[in-house]
Amino acid sequence: MEGLLFINACVRGPRSRTLPLARRFLEMWQQKHPEAVITERDLCRDRLLPQYPEVLEERDTLWSAGKLDDPIFAPAIQFAAAGRIVIAAPFWDLSFPAILKIYLERISVTNITFGYDDLGRSVGLCRAEKLLFITTRGGDFSIPEISWMEMGARQLEALCVMYGIPSFQCLTAQGLDDIRNDKTTIMAQAIEQAEKMAETF
Ligand SMILES: Cc1cc2nc3c(=O)[nH]c(=O)nc-3n(C[C@H](O)[C@H](O)[C@H](O)COP(=O)(O)O)c2cc1C
């Protein structure tokens, strides 16, 4: 079993409800794959810069010079090489926190995570067979009337196609900020689901 890359975008850290879900999943997965190495990238610690003009210019210059071994491309190379990928992030403003978007912009590099074939068609270059997105939401976006408003999991699922990752999975606990719901039960059910998903991931 190859290594697992864990992208931690749980901004609230110890107060996060998403993070314990991810930790439980990783714990169970590690038990199942004791030989595999889990590498964590904590986006709050990383503090990658957004692609401001000068950042993008530096990246374009290095890319055009073929310097793909420059540290600026290290996150993309790490992502492309991972055997399994787990991303954990809360549901913010119908999507996920900006730190995750910054990371996704940083790893989306032509000829590292995706490219084009001779006919100009987009091809994914990532090795991972599976990507799991773990998230918790204040509202319940499984309700058909509003499910279209959910933009976080859907964006990641589409990016998996671009990166060539065949299996996208999502683990979510929803409705956690709705006073009509029992948060403890919802979280317990999600933890149980995390344990089940770790069996086959
Ligand atoms: C900045 C911010 C934006 C949020 N935006 C939404 C939202 O658009 N829809 C929603 O249902 N919940 C929203 N929430 C609630 C969170 O999705 C919910 O509380 C989640 O469980 C937080 O995850 P965490 O405990 O891992 O931080 C938002 C919370 C914060 C702090």
Side-chain angles (χ1 to χ4, degrees):
M1 170 57 62
E2 294 153 322
L4 183 151
L5 176 63
F6 172 44
I7 307 301
N8 179 358
C10 297
V11 180
R12 296 200 305 146
R15 291 187 301 129
S16 166
R17 291 188 284 220
T18 313
L19 194 53
L21 213 47
R23 293 268 179 244
R24 185 65 185 148
F25 174 87
L26 294 172
E27 190 188 355
M28 295 305 283
W29 189 85
Q30 183 80 82
Q31 272 179 30
K32 184 104 182 145
H33 305 278
E35 78 292 1
V37 176
I38 297 177
T39 305
E40 178 167 346
R41 188 173 264 277
D42 181 344
L43 299 186
C44 288
R45 207 175 312 136
D46 266 12
R47 310 248 161 157
L48 294 171
L49 280 176
Q51 310 243 46
Y52 289 120
E54 65 279 10
V55 177
L56 192 58
E57 198 182 323
E58 185 193 3
R59 167 179 142 141
D60 286 350
T61 304
L62 288 162
W63 189 89
S64 300
K67 294 185 178 161
L68 296 187
D69 56 349
D70 187 273
I72 204 168
F73 299 118
I77 288 169
Q78 181 189 45
F79 188 90
R84 294 279 186 278
I85 299 166
V86 174
I87 299 177
F91 187 60
W92 275 15
D93 306 312
L94 306 178
S95 172
F96 41 66
I99 52 164
L100 181 54
K101 180 68 168 76
I102 290 168
Y103 173 78
L104 294 169
E105 287 182 8
R106 187 59 71 99
I107 61 161
S108 296
V109 181
T110 315
N111 295 345
I112 299 181
T113 46
F114 71 99
Y116 299 94
D117 68 12
D118 294 342
L119 298 172
R121 294 173 301 203
S122 178
V123 285
L125 299 176
C126 292
R127 290 184 59 200
E129 284 165 19
K130 296 176 181 182
L131 184 147
L132 170 65
F133 179 46
I134 300 176
T135 190
T136 64
R137 300 181 182 131
D140 183 351
F141 285 76
S142 66
I143 297 163
E145 290 77 25
I146 58 164
S147 62
W148 65 273
M149 293 169 72
E150 195 289 316
M151 312 272 179
R154 285 202 301 147
Q155 182 176 354
L156 286 168
E157 186 171 11
L159 280 170
C160 278
V161 175
M162 178 172 133
Y163 296 146
I165 301 172
S167 168
F168 171 82
Q169 300 174 22
C170 184
L171 167 62
T172 178
Q174 308 202 63
L176 290 171
D177 294 331
D178 186 329
I179 53 161
R180 293 165 295 182
N181 293 338
D182 175 359
K183 288 172 203 163
T184 313
T185 305
I186 295 171
M187 281 306 290
Q189 284 167 349
I191 289 279
E192 214 175 284
Q193 206 191 337
E195 290 165 355
K196 276 201 195 106
M197 289 175 94
E199 286 284 316
T200 53
F201 188 70

